[in-house]
Amino acid sequence: MYLLRRGDPTMFETFWRGPIGESATLVIPGYQTMSYFSDVGNLCWFLEPGFEREVRRLHSLVGNAAVEGYHVLVGTGSSQLFQAALYALALPTANAPVSVVSTTPFYSMYPPLTDFLNSGLYRWAGDANAFDGDDYIEVICSPNNPDGSIREAVLKSKSGKDIHDLAYYWPQYTPITHMLAHDIMLFTVSKCTGHAGTRIGWALVKDKEVAQKMSKFMEQSTIGVSKDAQLRAAKVLGAVTDGYEHQLAAAAGGDANLLFHYARRKMAHRWCALRAAVAASGIFSLPNEVAGFCTFTKDTVTSNPAFAWLRCEKQEVEDLESFLRENKIITRSGTKFGADQKVVRISMVDTDEAFGIFVNRLATIK
Amino acid sequence: MYLLRRGDPTMFETFWRGPIGESATLVIPGYQTMSYFSDVGNLCWFLEPGFEREVRRLHSLVGNAAVEGYHVLVGTGSSQLFQAALYALALPTANAPVSVVSTTPFYSMYPPLTDFLNSGLYRWAGDANAFDGDDYIEVICSPNNPDGSIREAVLKSKSGKDIHDLAYYWPQYTPITHMLAHDIMLFTVSKCTGHAGTRIGWALVKDKEVAQKMSKFMEQSTIGVSKDAQLRAAKVLGAVTDGYEHQLAAAAGGDANLLFHYARRKMAHRWCALRAAVAASGIFSLPNEVAGFCTFTKDTVTSNPAFAWLRCEKQEVEDLESFLRENKIITRSGTKFGADQKVVRISMVDTDEAFGIFVNRLATIK
């Protein structure tokens, strides 16, 4: 069985086994990271200053999001930050829970993340395009999980609020076309460098009061965020930025030290292979390729989404997830994303071996 | 200002700077811990096998809790596991949220942890002794935070459920008198070894279905628990057990490698100093000393709670927290624990320096 249900970004492991890996090695002596506190003077008192520094350095390098004037918050993955944002934006005084919406197809985890505790503060309300009202929280995932599309908010109301989930707004997945500066922007080490197991995400938040409430959420939920995990993430992000700075200094060739260049080349290669397999099979279709000028790499490139949103054009196949499972390919059905059964989401960031088996298998399905 | 509001267990740092510290050093290469998954075959798929092994080893050494036949779950601190247990024990089909109770004085975080998301599944309902009904979740903290008392469930009903918070059931705080074998038992590295910043707790759970639901909570809340933090915790717990095993092998003297012996001696010393300061001042009182035979150290010892539950006997002082703040001692008022204003909770596990200043200051208050 080839499991592509989750976007486990293990494909970047090869990069971290390369020359840059050594500089990312973390050593923690037995007596370190013992206190709950990282920085008592900070609004986010459990934020490791070294992690914040590397977050700001990396965004300054890539130019994908503004950091000047923003508060940096750390979370146990961006899923905790997503819930923290819901908590911060909901009004505890309101009579009814605030509606949380996102344009279909939306990330399959948004509904359960919103509803699993049956909170009186917020409630999942489905497709943003079908929503009618002034009070809402709209989640904008861009590039979008599952279909890779570039998105903006579809609802406009003074009392409505937005959360921008930018987990995939990195050069390996999409051209960086703008330095975004939204009120709440969520990122995660998992999709940026591939370190999903470290469970570290961060938020860039403009408003101080919102940042305070989000920090309060992490305080209540888990009494802050593991320092060891933050130190690990700081090491890894630092190694990425260092890789570019040293490369520029040395003017050397190759991309063994350049995460985004390495990862983009790998992703582009995989998309090529997938498109070839889809053509060979003849019964599937993929979203159209999107291209743009990347301000980071200074060239025009196509996007290489972390997921393939694969549709089946064959009349008889009604439930594509089941059909692919019969062919030993495990995917996640479109129904989980607010879409139909004839489409599935497939991870493009698994290991080389798993990806190779998958495309070979897909190409032969008729 | 001497901040003793939180129980930040920094006093154990000295131990970890000693000879055993080196064996607890963690090294993580850049390419490790990348996947979300730790053990796909495990009910708790994000649990690092090495961490589980060290948890079982440590309990077998200390004899404070049964591990045979129990599922081990990992959480981002025991506060996440507490919420996971509420989630697992609440019935999503019930009309009203289930009442969560604990005997007064109860840990001040239980009410906000239960209520901060205004969940429809469970609701804080205060003192267990004042509760009337059959459906409830009773939280039993033993030794109890804030007052160090040894507790058992006070409610008895077939449909009621218990959560045992055993964060302080370690030899430095209390004699180990029984190998406990409750349905749900919560522990945390924070209070056991002093590594609060690592944010790792664990649960021993008897029932498979409850364990599955608790694991599901961690999956939804934070998509598992940081692997780096688990590896760190495994190193630290392993060093504790190794310290005892090597000591036994070498039959050497001293306690530099014996965490519980070292920590108990330090705690006993602090309690001596605190009792002397209370006597010198003359306006305070403390709970009576409790003693028992410890099956781990094989001797009769007094308990040394992680917190002092300090009462003021002076008529004019109505609000002890404010009174102590005027004397530059920051504590947490009894009102936060369901008790009155004439009592406060004081951390006994802060740094040597802070503790020294505190007792000197307390002794002079008249």
Side-chain angles (χ1 to χ4, degrees):
Chain A
M1 282 293 179
Y2 178 38
L3 274 148
L4 293 152
R5 249 185 319 204
R6 273 191 184 268
D8 201 23
T10 38
M11 72 172 275
F12 300 140
E13 194 183 305
T14 326
F15 177 81
W16 292 106
R17 284 187 182 273
I20 211 171
E22 214 158 312
S23 67
T25 300
L26 175 69
V27 179
I28 310 182
Y31 57 83
Q32 264 194 15
T33 68
M34 295 193 70
S35 170
Y36 284 108
F37 301 95
S38 293
D39 184 2
V40 282
N42 194 318
L43 170 156
C44 185
W45 55 263
F46 48 83
L47 172 64
E48 281 291 308
F51 175 70
E52 174 173 5
R53 199 162 50 239
E54 295 302 342
V55 162
R56 291 185 184 276
R57 259 184 92 206
L58 185 64
H59 282 300
S60 302
L61 171 78
V62 175
N64 57 342
V67 286
E68 200 73 47
Y70 276 80
H71 300 277
V72 175
L73 299 175
V74 64
T76 310
S78 64
S79 51
Q80 189 181 35
L81 290 159
F82 170 74
Q83 293 164 82
L86 296 183
Y87 173 78
L89 297 178
L91 298 169
T93 51
N95 290 325
V98 64
S99 295
V100 181
V101 297
S102 189
T103 300
T104 300
F106 43 74
Y107 176 32
S108 53
M109 282 294 282
Y110 291 152
L113 275 178
T114 307
D115 285 348
F116 80 112
L117 287 176
N118 194 11
S119 170
L121 306 177
Y122 41 78
R123 191 67 45 90
W124 180 252
D127 188 4
N129 281 310
F131 182 77
D132 192 21
D134 289 330
D135 294 324
Y136 58 82
I137 298 173
E138 180 177 353
V139 194
I140 302 107
C141 185
S142 182
N144 188 44
N145 174 357
D147 67 354
S149 61
I150 298 300
R151 291 186 158 186
E152 293 186 10
V154 300
L155 299 177
K156 309 276 171 206
S157 139
K158 277 200 174 165
S159 53
K161 282 150 186 165
D162 296 339
I163 298 171
H164 282 81
D165 181 348
L166 304 178
Y168 302 95
Y169 194 48
W170 294 104
Q172 65 267 51
Y173 303 117
T174 192
I176 302 302
T177 55
H178 297 87
M179 182 184 282
L180 299 178
H182 299 294
D183 288 352
I184 300 180
M185 300 186 281
L186 307 184
F187 293 92
T188 167
V189 171
S190 161
K191 308 312 175 202
C192 174
T193 70
H195 292 80
T198 297
R199 308 307 311 122
I200 289 290
W202 67 92
L204 303 176
V205 179
K206 210 181 263 181
D207 184 73
K208 190 179 176 182
E209 208 178 311
V210 171
Q212 277 168 330
K213 282 189 195 162
M214 287 180 68
S215 179
K216 183 78 188 168
F217 179 92
M218 258 79 70
E219 185 182 325
Q220 304 258 31
S221 163
T222 50
I223 319 189
V225 174
S226 171
K227 287 186 173 192
D228 308 288
Q230 290 186 65
L231 294 180
R232 180 80 203 291
K235 264 281 181 194
V236 165
L237 297 185
V240 173
T241 309
D242 287 351
Y244 279 94
E245 288 187 350
H246 298 166
Q247 189 84 3
L248 291 175
D255 60 16
N257 288 325
L258 306 178
L259 173 72
F260 300 119
H261 286 73
Y262 170 93
R264 174 192 281 178
R265 183 167 52 75
K266 292 271 287 184
M267 293 297 300
H269 193 257
R270 287 192 174 190
W271 272 95
C272 248
L274 177 65
R275 290 193 188 277
V278 163
S281 161
I283 67 164
F284 301 108
S285 68
L286 288 165
N288 288 332
E289 256 183 328
V290 176
F293 183 78
C294 180
T295 56
F296 174 62
T297 51
K298 308 232 170 1
D299 54 0
T300 298
V301 285
T302 58
S303 63
N304 306 298
F307 296 102
W309 189 233
L310 186 80
R311 186 168 283 284
C312 185
E313 304 293 345
K314 201 172 172 180
Q315 198 88 42
E316 313 88 274
V317 178
E318 284 187 1
D319 177 353
L320 181 55
E321 187 192 272
S322 302
F323 177 73
L324 289 174
R325 191 184 295 117
E326 287 162 21
N327 287 279
K328 293 188 182 167
I329 299 171
I330 307 289
T331 62
R332 195 178 281 181
S333 172
T335 55
K336 298 262 171 60
F337 303 85
D340 59 272
Q341 299 192 80
K342 297 202 63 155
V343 62
V344 297
R345 189 192 79 166
I346 296 175
S347 168
M348 295 292 286
V349 290
D350 215 298
T351 59
D352 282 339
E353 193 194 350
F355 188 78
I357 297 170
F358 157 64
V359 285
N360 286 340
R361 215 166 264 176
L362 195 77
T364 63
I365 299 176
K366 299 288 166 190
Chain B
M1 283 290 175
Y2 176 40
L3 275 148
L4 292 153
R5 248 184 321 202
R6 271 190 186 270
D8 202 23
T10 40
M11 72 170 277
F12 301 139
E13 195 183 303
T14 327
F15 177 82
W16 292 107
R17 284 187 182 274
I20 209 169
E22 212 158 312
S23 67
T25 300
L26 175 70
V27 179
I28 310 182
Y31 57 82
Q32 266 194 12
T33 70
M34 296 193 69
S35 170
Y36 284 107
F37 301 95
S38 293
D39 184 2
V40 283
N42 194 319
L43 170 158
C44 185
W45 53 262
F46 48 82
L47 173 63
E48 281 290 309
F51 175 69
E52 174 173 6
R53 197 160 50 237
E54 294 302 342
V55 162
R56 291 185 184 275
R57 259 185 92 208
L58 185 63
H59 282 300
S60 302
L61 172 76
V62 175
N64 57 341
V67 287
E68 201 71 48
Y70 276 80
H71 300 278
V72 175
L73 299 174
V74 64
T76 311
S78 65
S79 50
Q80 189 182 36
L81 290 159
F82 170 74
Q83 293 164 82
L86 296 184
Y87 172 79
L89 297 179
L91 298 167
T93 50
N95 290 325
V98 64
S99 295
V100 181
V101 297
S102 190
T103 300
T104 301
F106 43 71
Y107 177 31
S108 52
M109 284 294 283
Y110 291 151
L113 275 178
T114 306
D115 285 348
F116 80 111
L117 288 176
N118 194 10
S119 169
L121 305 178
Y122 42 77
R123 191 67 45 90
W124 180 250
D127 188 3
N129 281 308
F131 182 77
D132 192 21
D134 288 331
D135 293 325
Y136 59 81
I137 297 171
E138 180 178 354
V139 194
I140 301 107
C141 185
S142 183
N144 190 44
N145 174 357
D147 67 354
S149 60
I150 299 299
R151 290 187 158 184
E152 292 186 10
V154 300
L155 299 178
K156 309 275 170 205
S157 139
K158 278 202 173 163
S159 53
K161 283 151 187 165
D162 297 338
I163 298 171
H164 282 81
D165 181 348
L166 303 178
Y168 303 96
Y169 194 47
W170 296 103
Q172 67 266 50
Y173 303 117
T174 192
I176 302 301
T177 55
H178 297 86
M179 182 186 281
L180 299 178
H182 300 293
D183 288 352
I184 300 180
M185 301 186 280
L186 308 183
F187 293 92
T188 165
V189 172
S190 163
K191 309 311 177 205
C192 174
T193 70
H195 292 80
T198 296
R199 310 305 313 119
I200 289 290
W202 68 92
L204 304 177
V205 180
K206 210 180 266 180
D207 184 74
K208 190 177 177 181
E209 208 180 309
V210 171
Q212 276 168 330
K213 282 189 194 162
M214 286 180 69
S215 180
K216 183 80 187 168
F217 179 93
M218 258 80 69
E219 184 181 326
Q220 303 259 30
S221 164
T222 50
I223 318 189
V225 173
S226 171
K227 286 186 175 194
D228 308 288
Q230 289 186 66
L231 294 180
R232 181 79 204 292
K235 264 281 181 194
V236 166
L237 296 186
V240 173
T241 309
D242 287 350
Y244 278 94
E245 288 187 350
H246 298 164
Q247 189 84 5
L248 291 175
D255 61 14
N257 288 326
L258 306 178
L259 174 71
F260 300 119
H261 286 74
Y262 170 93
R264 174 191 281 180
R265 185 168 50 78
K266 293 271 287 183
M267 293 296 298
H269 193 259
R270 286 191 174 190
W271 272 95
C272 249
L274 177 65
R275 291 194 188 276
V278 163
S281 162
I283 68 165
F284 301 108
S285 67
L286 288 165
N288 288 332
E289 256 181 328
V290 176
F293 183 78
C294 180
T295 55
F296 174 62
T297 51
K298 309 236 175 341
D299 54 1
T300 299
V301 286
T302 59
S303 64
N304 306 297
F307 297 102
W309 188 234
L310 188 78
R311 186 168 284 282
C312 186
E313 304 293 344
K314 200 172 171 180
Q315 197 88 45
E316 313 89 273
V317 177
E318 283 185 1
D319 177 351
L320 181 54
E321 186 191 272
S322 303
F323 177 73
L324 289 174
R325 191 184 292 117
E326 286 162 21
N327 286 280
K328 293 189 181 161
I329 299 171
I330 307 289
T331 61
R332 194 179 282 181
S333 173
T335 56
K336 298 260 171 61
F337 303 85
D340 61 272
Q341 296 193 79
K342 297 204 63 156
V343 62
V344 297
R345 189 193 78 168
I346 297 176
S347 168
M348 294 293 286
V349 290
D350 215 299
T351 60
D352 282 338
E353 194 195 352
F355 188 78
I357 297 169
F358 157 64
V359 284
N360 286 339
R361 215 168 264 173
L362 194 78
T364 64
I365 299 175
K366 299 289 167 188

